[in-house]
Amino acid sequence: MSTQPCVFIVDDDYAVRDGLGLVIETAGLPYQAFESAEQFLQSYCPSIPGCLLLDVNMPGLNGLELQAELIRHNIHLPIIFLTGNGNIPMTVRAIKAGAVDFLTKPVPSKLLIERIQAVLQHEAQIHEQNTAERALSNRLNSLTSREMEILPLVVEGHSNKDIARLINISFRTVEIHRARILKKTGVANLLELARLCEACKLPSEPTR
């Protein structure tokens, strides 16, 4: 079961947190608000998808330092920076470090929701793609080492006789492995098998 994405607000100003929360809630999106970067780090669960609305200037750990801390912990949470007094070097630093946007307060509600929804849509597409890639990879992971050795030779169009000679096994053994490869990967023919290998970026020829 997929987890609904959440918008995380980190800002030391209560009025800003409250206003942003109201805008996000009105748009039908769940949110969580934090008064400091430290509080966010203590509470955040990396398994929850979403995006982070992050103030730059805060007591303690500031926004750019929180961004660096998330990177250090290999947490890939898209960040939209919000600031009342940003500058070009600050913006460049944030974007170079991976921030998806850098907005100046006050941000029009319509613009903010458009940016948030664009980020969440992009994250959902990435998640869907990663899920599909894992499913494809799992189909190949079910193959034995011998079947993985034979697979690229089959895809390259070698006959069973050629494969038997190349890896020094019997013709009948190749037939059995070939049938098992098709069954385990769930493909109906050689073309589908080739597409599966291409999608999984499997080398076309075995290393010898």
Side-chain angles (χ1 to χ4, degrees):
M1 183 173 63
S2 60
T3 303
Q4 186 176 10
C6 180
V7 180
F8 301 97
I9 303 168
V10 179
D11 197 301
D12 63 307
D13 188 324
Y14 172 80
V16 172
R17 293 197 307 273
D18 192 53
L20 290 173
L22 179 60
V23 169
I24 293 166
E25 190 174 43
T26 302
L29 297 170
Y31 77 94
Q32 296 177 24
F34 305 88
E35 64 181 4
S36 69
E38 290 85 354
Q39 185 186 56
F40 170 76
L41 285 173
Q42 290 173 1
S43 305
Y44 176 62
C45 176
S47 64
I48 300 176
C51 72
L52 174 59
L53 297 185
L54 180 58
D55 187 23
V56 177
N57 299 304
M58 296 183 291
L61 207 64
N62 66 37
L64 293 172
E65 290 169 340
L66 174 56
Q67 181 187 35
E69 191 70 8
L70 293 174
I71 292 171
R72 190 172 73 84
H73 285 89
N74 201 31
I75 296 174
H76 303 287
L77 183 65
I79 299 175
I80 298 175
F81 274 103
L82 304 176
T83 182
N85 54 355
N87 54 51
I88 293 176
M90 184 186 295
T91 304
V92 170
R93 177 182 169 187
I95 297 299
K96 278 188 173 181
V100 296
D101 221 330
F102 200 101
L103 305 176
T104 302
K105 299 175 184 176
V107 183
S109 299
K110 185 175 183 294
L111 173 63
L112 180 62
I113 293 303
E114 285 176 352
R115 298 293 173 87
I116 290 173
Q117 289 176 334
V119 170
L120 295 180
Q121 183 178 7
H122 179 66
E123 289 298 299
Q125 290 172 346
I126 292 176
H127 176 73
E128 184 177 343
Q129 180 180 344
N130 289 341
T131 300
E133 288 177 355
R134 283 195 298 270
L136 290 174
S137 180
N138 288 339
R139 288 162 67 182
L140 290 180
N141 287 341
S142 66
L143 301 181
T144 65
S145 57
R146 177 64 87 181
E147 289 162 355
M148 284 298 293
E149 183 182 13
I150 291 174
L151 174 61
L153 295 171
V154 171
V155 170
E156 284 296 309
H158 292 284
S159 67
N160 290 351
K161 183 178 179 180
D162 286 340
I163 295 172
R165 178 180 52 81
L166 285 168
I167 61 177
N168 196 30
I169 60 175
S170 71
F171 174 85
R172 177 56 181 159
T173 301
V174 174
E175 283 187 326
I176 293 172
H177 283 307
R178 188 175 189 134
R180 286 176 178 170
I181 289 170
L182 295 177
K183 182 178 180 180
K184 289 181 179 181
T185 55
V187 300
N189 51 52
L190 184 59
L191 179 59
E192 288 185 14
L193 186 62
R195 286 173 177 167
L196 173 62
C197 292
E198 183 178 0
C200 294
K201 298 179 175 59
L202 193 73
S204 58
E205 285 283 9
T207 303
R208 296 199 165 277

